[in-house]
């Protein structure tokens, strides 16, 4: 290969960024067509771009109601974008390669490794096969249950359509829903706040989609190997603790709030609290009015959205493993220990530095966008912070700001969703110069901390 050709060769992170951007552009063009809207009128390109970005980045923030604004064609475009965006365009490309019996090249394996956030290429194609098989199986089972349940309310054909759409949307942690045409615009699952079937299936989809495919694979193979990897142990422990603590906090804060849990039965209060604890893990669906929550609850949900799901999943945020590493560092420092130990394993310094770097970049991004929008959007600071964090965590929960955003606000939120889906470090690697090995090290210095 010529040196000039090598100079312009794209790195895996750059291919991921360009790939997602291309999918968003194609989706935007399709959604801006007259046939994509229920009225038959073309949708403004910026609104189409925002929706395509939200769908591809599996977020769920919308400037127009999905159930009433888009035609069946537009809704199908959205759900295809969600499926491609959730599993990753490289995973979908690999699926076609499997169908066509095409060999996966070394470069493609490197891109898959980056896309799935894996430490090595070993077993990456085998993992992709599992991702595709597990995803389609889980979505199919949930679609059948949803279809049966909603057939009683909406009729058989509409119930099946809604079942398939929401199974894909919720498993990919997208949060898009079609109930605007049934229970009112932007209503999400508020009409089913005390429906055990809808809530339990939705939560299982959200949790499974947010655990990550490596963890799902470990759980399925547990009967055979009788052991879980450290990664799976950390993810499952952190997920369980965050959901449990979140349920208790939301239940206590909202118990007497007549705008949210107040009117529900005791079982409904518990179910709604549990659902609102699961949903901020990047799902975006809600069974109570988010704008009606108390400010303390809204701020607590911001924290949950910032933490997000787990690595290698369909969700965003800084990830549960990053959060656990930071908590481990705090505990180790307080106890005077040099190492962070999780489940009798010591974490390497590179894992700790990566966790700190990722968290700081994410924090700066959320703060920067929030400050910008505070000058352009005529809404409260908490409302703006909530929306920006929701966009970064690819959550999709909203206090009602998104439909009222200015054009500048829509662009900033769209860029935040894009950064959140790809991950701050992936973007930094894609946009930054190629790392070169240092030929020397500076002498160690000491500064006073704290």
């Amino acid at each position: 290969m010529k040196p000039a050709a090598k100079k312009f060769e794209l790195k895996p992170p750059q291919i991921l960024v360009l790939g997602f951007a291309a999918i968003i552009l194609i989706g935007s063009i399709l959604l801006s067509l007259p046939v994509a809207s229920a009225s038959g009128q073309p949708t403004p390109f910026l609104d189409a771009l925002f929706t395509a970005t939200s769908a591809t980045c599996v977020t769920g923030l919308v400037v127009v109601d999905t159930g009433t604004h888009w035609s069946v064609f537009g809704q199908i475009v959205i759900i295809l974008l969600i499926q491609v965006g959730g599993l990753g365009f490289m995973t979908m490309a690999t699926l076609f390669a499997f169908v066509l019996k095409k060999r996966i090249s070394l470069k493609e394996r490197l891109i898959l490794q980056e896309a799935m956030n894996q430490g090595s290429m070993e077993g990456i194609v085998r993992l992709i096969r599992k991702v595709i098989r597990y995803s389609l199986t889980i979505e199919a089972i949930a679609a059948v249950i949803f279809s049966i349940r909603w057939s009683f309310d909406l009729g058989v054909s509409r119930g099946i359509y809604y079942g398939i759409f929401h199974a894909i949307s919720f498993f990919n942690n997208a949060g898009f829903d079609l109930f605007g045409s049934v229970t009112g615009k932007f209503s999400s699952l508020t009409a089913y706040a005390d429906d055990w079937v809808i809530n339990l299936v939705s939560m299982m989809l959200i949790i499974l989609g947010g655990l990550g495919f490596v963890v799902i694979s470990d759980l399925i193979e547990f009967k055979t190997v009788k052991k879980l990897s450290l990664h799976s142990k950390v993810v499952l422990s952190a997920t369980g603790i965050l959901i449990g603590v979140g349920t208790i906090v939301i239940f206590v804060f909202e118990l007497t709030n007549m705008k949210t849990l107040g009117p529900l039965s005791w079982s409904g209060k518990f179910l709604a609290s549990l659902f609102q604890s699961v949903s901020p893990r990047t799902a975006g669906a809600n069974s109570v009015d988010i704008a009606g929550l108390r400010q303390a609850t809204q701020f607590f949900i911001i924290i949950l959205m910032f933490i997000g799901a787990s690595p290698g999943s369909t969700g965003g945020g800084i990830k549960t493993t990053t959060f656990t590493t930071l908590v481990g560092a705090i505990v180790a420092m307080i106890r005077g220990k040099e190492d962070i130990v999780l489940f009798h394993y010591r974490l390497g310094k590179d894992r700790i530095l990566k966790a700190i770097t990722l968290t700081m970049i994410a924090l700066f991004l959320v703060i920067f966008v929030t400050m910008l929008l505070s000058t352009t959007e005529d809404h409260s600071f908490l409302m703006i912070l909530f929306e920006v964090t929701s966009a970064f965590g690819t959550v999709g929960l909203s206090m009602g700001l998104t439909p009222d955003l200015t054009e500048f606000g829509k662009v900033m939120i769209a860029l935040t969703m894009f950064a959140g889906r790809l991950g701050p470090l992936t973007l930094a690697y894609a946009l930054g110069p190629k790392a070169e090995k240092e030929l020397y090290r500076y002498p160690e210095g000491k500064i006073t901390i704290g």
Side-chain angles (χ1 to χ4, degrees):
M1 186 180 288
K2 295 180 180 179
K6 279 189 175 181
K7 184 178 180 180
F8 295 102
E9 189 175 348
L10 294 174
K11 297 179 289 185
Q14 293 172 329
I15 293 173
L16 284 179
V17 171
L18 293 175
F20 270 98
I23 293 167
I24 290 170
L25 180 59
I26 293 170
S28 303
I29 294 171
L30 292 175
L31 290 177
S32 62
L33 297 174
V35 70
S37 70
S39 65
Q41 300 296 317
T43 300
F45 186 76
L46 184 56
D47 289 348
L49 175 65
F50 188 97
T51 304
T53 304
S54 184
T56 306
C57 297
V58 290
T59 304
L61 289 176
V62 291
V63 289
V64 293
D65 181 68
T66 309
T68 56
H69 178 84
W70 304 106
S71 65
V72 173
F73 173 82
Q75 291 167 2
I76 290 174
V77 170
I78 288 172
I79 206 63
L80 288 175
L81 290 174
I82 289 171
Q83 187 73 85
V84 173
L87 297 183
F89 78 95
M90 278 304 300
T91 302
M92 299 304 291
T94 306
L95 172 60
F96 287 115
F98 290 155
V99 172
L100 298 173
K101 300 186 184 305
K102 179 180 175 293
R103 183 177 174 80
I104 310 300
S105 68
L106 177 61
K107 185 166 185 178
E108 288 167 341
R109 291 169 191 261
L110 284 169
I111 299 169
L112 287 170
Q113 176 192 337
E114 181 71 30
M116 298 304 296
N117 199 19
Q118 295 299 296
S120 72
M121 287 189 297
E122 184 180 356
I124 192 68
V125 175
R126 187 168 61 251
L127 174 62
I128 296 301
R129 288 181 188 273
K130 292 179 180 178
V131 167
I132 296 168
R133 186 167 65 248
Y134 297 160
S135 300
L136 296 181
T137 302
I138 292 169
E139 289 173 353
I141 294 171
V144 170
I145 300 173
F146 276 153
S147 298
I148 294 171
R149 172 61 186 86
W150 279 321
S151 291
F152 291 102
D153 297 343
L154 310 171
V156 176
S157 60
R158 199 177 183 189
I160 293 172
Y161 177 59
Y162 272 50
I164 295 171
F165 185 98
H166 292 92
I168 295 173
S169 178
F170 292 166
F171 176 71
N172 288 287
N173 281 215
F176 279 81
D177 71 272
L178 302 177
F179 287 99
S181 60
V182 180
T183 53
K185 290 184 177 181
F186 308 108
S187 56
S188 193
L189 297 179
T190 51
Y192 296 94
D194 54 0
D195 188 304
W196 282 85
V197 174
I198 299 300
N199 278 265
L200 289 178
V201 175
S202 298
M203 285 188 287
M204 284 307 298
L205 284 170
I206 293 165
I207 292 170
L208 288 173
L211 285 177
F213 299 109
V214 173
V215 178
I216 295 175
S217 177
D218 270 7
L219 288 173
I220 291 174
E221 295 175 359
F222 181 73
K223 286 184 178 180
T224 306
V225 298
K226 300 297 183 183
K227 61 181 290 188
L228 292 174
S229 65
L230 173 62
H231 172 81
S232 294
K233 289 178 181 178
V234 171
V235 167
L236 291 170
S237 301
T239 299
I241 291 170
L242 288 170
I243 291 175
V245 171
T247 302
I248 295 170
V249 170
I250 293 171
F251 183 86
V252 171
F253 283 0
E254 297 297 317
L255 182 61
T256 58
N257 187 351
M258 296 308 295
K259 294 180 181 179
T260 54
L261 301 187
L264 300 176
S265 63
W266 282 101
S267 63
K269 293 178 197 294
F270 167 75
L271 196 59
S273 299
L274 179 60
F275 191 90
Q276 260 53 238
S277 177
V278 170
S279 188
R281 314 304 307 292
T282 86
N286 57 285
S287 59
V288 299
D289 181 18
I290 298 299
L293 295 169
R294 292 192 168 113
Q295 286 191 348
T297 311
Q298 290 168 345
F299 188 75
F300 178 73
I301 288 177
I302 287 174
I303 296 172
L304 291 180
M305 292 192 296
F306 186 75
I307 296 171
S310 303
S313 71
T314 59
I318 62 171
K319 305 294 190 299
T320 52
T321 48
T322 303
F323 176 70
T324 303
T325 301
L326 295 178
V327 172
I330 294 171
V331 172
M333 180 64 68
I334 291 174
R335 295 176 62 189
K337 303 290 184 180
E338 185 175 342
D339 297 324
I340 300 174
V341 179
L342 301 173
F343 296 98
H344 306 292
Y345 283 94
R346 172 177 55 84
L347 295 187
K349 299 295 183 185
D350 60 321
R351 301 292 92 188
I352 301 167
L353 287 174
K354 187 174 182 179
I356 295 171
T357 303
L358 176 59
T359 304
M360 293 307 296
I361 293 175
L363 192 60
F364 285 143
L365 175 64
V366 170
I367 291 172
F368 176 72
V369 177
T370 302
M371 288 174 62
L372 276 182
L373 295 188
S374 295
T375 64
T376 62
E377 312 302 315
D378 188 21
H379 291 277
S380 68
F381 175 79
L382 184 62
M383 199 175 195
I384 294 170
L385 177 62
F386 191 100
E387 218 79 3
V388 173
T389 309
S390 180
F392 166 74
T394 69
V395 180
L397 290 176
S398 174
M399 291 172 61
L401 171 62
T402 303
D404 298 331
L405 286 170
T406 61
E407 290 191 353
F408 176 79
K410 291 176 184 177
V411 172
M412 291 307 301
I413 292 293
L415 289 173
T416 306
M417 290 189 290
F418 189 71
R421 178 64 184 98
L422 286 166
L425 284 181
T426 298
L427 278 178
Y429 292 149
L431 301 175
K434 185 177 180 180
E436 295 181 0
K437 188 174 181 179
E438 294 181 352
L439 301 177
Y440 57 90
R441 295 179 69 188
Y442 289 100
E444 183 179 336
K446 294 186 179 181
I447 59 173
T448 304
I449 302 293

